[in-house]
Amino acid sequence: MKKSETYLRCLILLLAVLGLQTVSRAADRSIQNFVSQREKWDKLLGVPQTLEGRISTFNSLSLRFRNCPIPFYYAGKTPKLDNSVQNVEITGQLARENGRILFKITNLKKMPDDMEYFVTEESKIDLTDPREWYSLGDWASNRAEFYNDDELKKKAQDAYRKGVKAEYNQLIVKQPEALFKLADRVQEYKLNPQLSRELQHEALVLEWKELQKQPKADEKPLLSQILKFFPTAKTPQDKDNPQEREQYLKNQLEIFQQSDEAKQNRLMRWFYAEIVLDRILKNLAKGGSNGFEIAAAIAKEIPERTELVQQYQNMQLDFDFNRVAELPRQYVLDLSQEFQRRGKKDKAKQTLVNWIESRRKKLDPNDADGRVRLARDLIELTDDKQAAAKVLLRAWELNPKSAEASLLLARLGFMLQKDQWLNPEEVKEFRDDPIRKAIRNGTVVAGMNRDQVKKVLGAPTQIGRSISGGKINELWIYGETSSQSLVIQLARKRRSDELTVVRIRNAQLSPAPLPEAADPVE
């Protein structure tokens, strides 16, 4: 029974030694690793092992490693150490004496310090193999953290950075997923955040280029990814910067890498906005018929692009202007007002003119009422009274009983005389004629003919005729013969001439003049 127990203990001890030797060859033999496994120390009592690390103090009997709680005693020959020695490798075994654990050193070897070791290992690395760089970086990072060594931390960062560069160079074809993973590695190793941003940015640019090749691509996932890595990309800039934006979009990777963080955030806004704009413009109708809808979407999501808002508004305005003949009246009025509001007065007027002209072309040749409505719009919308009068005259010809046509013509200064409309100039001449003016005032003046005298005074009481020197005379007497209150002499030289008033004698005030509106038509 005792032999079996002895055999079993020896077997366990052998396995432990073999296991430790395997670990010591393949795994970390550092003091920090040794300290991290202190809960196993009791099981390793008497087991030979090799450790290495930085010493803190030493004397002729013992030494201590930095950040290790137990003493290390020389069990063999005392080594020669001086203050220049920083790192040593020791072989020995754990033991327990007087209730406490210690380590008995059977062999000690001076080692290069950590910086010397780093430089030596770095010189052996295959520069193109990222795994070797990461391995060296891990070693340096663990040592730096355990010993709180800032200089070694920098070395670890340098190794990680070179590993990332080597891994990046190994990417024969750049794929977004690989770049995102590499960016995660940069963050894991706590390298310069700008390097991570550059990798993320490059991955996003590649995704965008792929989406642009797809006719019905969905940009939402890409926009979400941009905001995941660059959340400020959704925040509009105070104002647009066309030069910066255009330069960046032409050469995204290089410009981004050359920029500081503040500028990179602006560049990501231009990138994000460009994708949003592409998504919005996919809804643009042919010819820009929904330009105001597109402009509203741009104003909401990319408010700094004011020139685009105006551009697509103008696109719809031009589209509507070119199809004004198809538009209803109120829409045309609104369109004209919009041009007016934008300072395009000529186009505002032309909109109305074109619309009215399109209606004129569609009129039925015998449509009097349609011409009246057209004339009213010419007056109210374009103030083209001359064109309106022409349309109204044609409407009256088609329907002389049209009260509205007559009313509008009168408002335009026309006057109906003997079934003929006098234009405003003719009306003025008509009204400024002395004889006509006298008729309106109820008086008789020289030059009036028989009919005109009768309009003012009526028929005479008696008429006398005479011929003198070849001239024919008539005396129109008004009143009693005895008083001859008014005598009007009319004369003509030839029989073909018309008798006209040449003299008025004993003229008295005639009856009150007729009002102008009641003038009889000649």
Side-chain angles (χ1 to χ4, degrees):
M1 191 68 176
K2 290 183 179 179
K3 290 182 178 180
S4 298
E5 290 178 355
T6 302
Y7 175 80
L8 182 60
R9 289 180 63 186
C10 290
L11 180 61
I12 293 173
L13 182 59
L14 179 61
L15 290 173
V17 171
L18 291 173
L20 187 60
Q21 287 177 341
T22 302
V23 171
S24 63
R25 285 196 300 268
D28 191 353
R29 298 184 301 175
S30 65
I31 285 295
Q32 66 261 34
N33 186 57
F34 174 73
V35 171
S36 69
Q37 299 182 19
R38 61 190 306 169
E39 71 278 359
K40 299 179 182 180
W41 286 352
D42 282 334
K43 297 178 181 179
L44 296 174
L45 292 174
V47 178
Q49 49 186 311
T50 300
L51 303 173
E52 64 82 24
R54 298 184 186 184
I55 59 176
S56 59
T57 61
F58 62 89
N59 55 39
S60 59
L61 299 176
S62 66
L63 63 80
R64 281 189 176 268
F65 284 97
R66 288 182 59 180
N67 299 331
C68 184
I70 64 173
F72 291 75
Y73 289 94
Y74 308 126
K77 184 179 179 181
T78 302
K80 293 182 179 180
L81 298 175
D82 56 48
N83 292 331
S84 65
V85 178
Q86 297 184 20
N87 290 48
V88 296
E89 179 184 272
I90 55 101
T91 300
Q93 56 190 22
L94 285 167
R96 184 183 293 277
E97 293 184 359
N98 300 322
R100 67 170 187 160
I101 291 180
L102 51 83
F103 195 98
K104 292 183 178 182
I105 302 172
T106 58
N107 187 42
L108 182 145
K109 183 169 62 175
K110 298 176 184 178
M111 300 290 290
D113 63 34
D114 289 344
M115 294 302 295
E116 291 172 340
Y117 178 82
F118 183 94
V119 172
T120 300
E121 293 301 308
E122 185 179 28
S123 66
K124 301 176 185 178
I125 284 179
D126 178 356
L127 302 181
T128 64
D129 189 345
R131 293 173 299 178
E132 294 188 24
W133 284 112
Y134 294 148
S135 178
L136 180 60
D138 288 341
W139 175 85
S141 178
N142 291 334
R143 301 280 286 200
E145 184 177 358
F146 185 73
Y147 293 119
N148 193 25
D149 188 331
D150 290 338
E151 188 176 2
L152 195 55
K153 285 181 183 178
K154 292 179 181 179
K155 287 292 186 180
Q157 292 281 293
D158 187 57
Y160 286 142
R161 185 165 46 251
K162 290 177 179 178
V164 169
K165 182 178 179 181
E167 188 171 355
Y168 178 85
N169 291 336
Q170 282 187 346
L171 299 176
I172 299 175
V173 177
K174 304 296 188 298
Q175 295 292 340
E177 289 185 6
L179 293 172
F180 282 132
K181 288 180 180 179
L182 202 52
D184 291 341
R185 196 184 297 280
V186 170
Q187 294 176 352
E188 176 188 350
Y189 292 144
K190 299 179 181 178
L191 300 179
N192 188 338
Q194 179 159 338
L195 179 56
S196 177
R197 289 197 300 270
E198 289 174 3
L199 291 167
Q200 292 165 345
H201 170 261
E202 184 174 355
L204 294 167
V205 170
L206 287 175
E207 287 196 353
W208 173 229
K209 288 181 178 178
E210 287 301 316
L211 280 178
Q212 288 178 300
K213 299 176 184 177
Q214 304 172 21
K216 295 184 179 180
D218 182 8
E219 297 91 347
K220 289 183 180 179
L222 176 56
L223 292 172
S224 297
Q225 273 192 310
I226 290 177
L227 296 180
K228 174 184 176 182
F229 300 120
F230 303 92
T232 59
K234 193 172 185 178
T235 304
Q237 294 293 312
D238 293 336
K239 61 180 180 180
D240 189 21
N241 187 336
Q243 182 177 3
E244 180 182 82
R245 171 170 48 80
E246 291 170 9
Q247 287 178 347
Y248 162 69
L249 292 175
K250 288 179 181 178
N251 189 5
Q252 289 183 272
L253 299 184
E254 184 177 348
I255 297 295
F256 191 88
Q257 291 172 2
Q258 295 171 353
S259 304
D260 58 23
E261 183 176 1
K263 184 175 180 179
Q264 285 179 347
N265 287 334
R266 290 200 308 274
L267 299 180
M268 289 309 299
R269 172 57 186 174
W270 306 140
F271 187 16
Y272 180 87
E274 189 70 11
I275 299 172
V276 170
L277 178 61
D278 184 79
R279 178 172 57 83
I280 291 173
L281 294 184
K282 284 182 178 179
N283 297 318
L284 179 64
K286 185 177 180 181
S289 61
N290 62 339
F292 271 89
E293 178 184 333
I294 296 298
I298 293 173
K300 179 181 178 181
E301 299 194 55
I302 323 174
E304 60 265 55
R305 297 296 301 274
T306 53
E307 87 288 0
L308 288 178
V309 174
Q310 187 170 3
Q311 174 185 331
Y312 287 100
Q313 287 177 343
N314 288 339
M315 187 178 292
Q316 180 170 347
L317 290 174
D318 290 340
F319 178 86
D320 290 337
F321 177 81
N322 292 328
R323 66 182 188 105
V324 69
E326 306 168 17
L327 302 177
R329 187 178 194 275
Q330 188 57 52
Y331 197 108
V332 173
L333 295 179
D334 293 342
L335 179 61
S336 176
Q337 289 178 359
E338 186 63 27
F339 280 127
Q340 189 78 20
R341 188 180 67 81
R342 292 167 181 266
K344 299 180 178 181
K345 296 182 179 180
D346 291 343
K347 207 158 189 178
K349 182 176 181 180
Q350 194 62 44
T351 298
L352 300 173
V353 170
N354 290 355
W355 180 68
I356 291 174
E357 178 62 16
S358 69
R359 289 176 56 209
R360 185 190 67 76
K361 292 179 179 179
K362 295 176 184 178
L363 279 175
D364 185 276
N366 299 315
D367 186 356
D369 292 339
R371 282 172 169 76
V372 171
R373 290 191 294 271
L374 180 66
R376 188 178 291 279
D377 281 335
L378 280 166
I379 296 170
E380 295 177 357
L381 303 183
T382 67
D383 197 34
D384 191 344
K385 296 177 181 178
Q386 183 176 357
K390 185 176 180 181
V391 173
L392 286 169
L393 289 171
R394 177 56 184 158
W396 188 83
E397 288 178 7
L398 294 170
N399 181 14
K401 295 182 179 180
S402 174
E404 189 173 6
S406 299
L407 177 62
L408 290 175
L409 282 168
R411 288 179 180 176
L412 293 175
F414 285 72
M415 186 171 69
L416 185 64
Q417 290 292 322
K418 294 182 179 179
D419 295 330
Q420 181 178 354
W421 286 95
L422 302 180
N423 64 41
E425 291 184 0
E426 294 172 332
V427 171
K428 186 177 185 300
E429 293 176 1
F430 176 84
R431 289 179 173 172
D432 289 346
D433 183 90
I435 293 176
R436 298 182 188 281
K437 186 179 291 186
I439 293 173
R440 291 197 302 274
N441 292 333
T443 59
V444 176
V445 295
M448 283 184 174
N449 59 28
R450 289 176 172 182
D451 292 337
Q452 290 168 339
V453 173
K454 287 181 179 179
K455 285 181 182 179
V456 176
L457 300 177
T461 305
Q462 65 182 54
I463 297 175
R465 292 183 178 86
S466 64
I467 298 175
S468 174
K471 179 190 286 189
I472 300 174
N473 295 288
E474 283 189 4
L475 295 177
W476 286 27
I477 300 171
Y478 289 86
E480 296 298 327
T481 305
S482 58
S483 62
Q484 295 184 2
S485 59
L486 179 62
V487 178
I488 298 174
Q489 181 182 352
L490 299 93
R492 67 183 180 191
K493 293 182 178 181
R494 295 184 300 273
R495 187 175 295 274
S496 60
D497 292 338
E498 186 178 17
L499 285 165
T500 57
V501 175
V502 294
R503 185 180 299 173
I504 304 169
R505 188 173 59 191
N506 296 329
Q508 298 180 0
L509 290 174
S510 64
L514 295 173
E516 183 176 333
D519 281 355
V521 179
E522 288 192 334

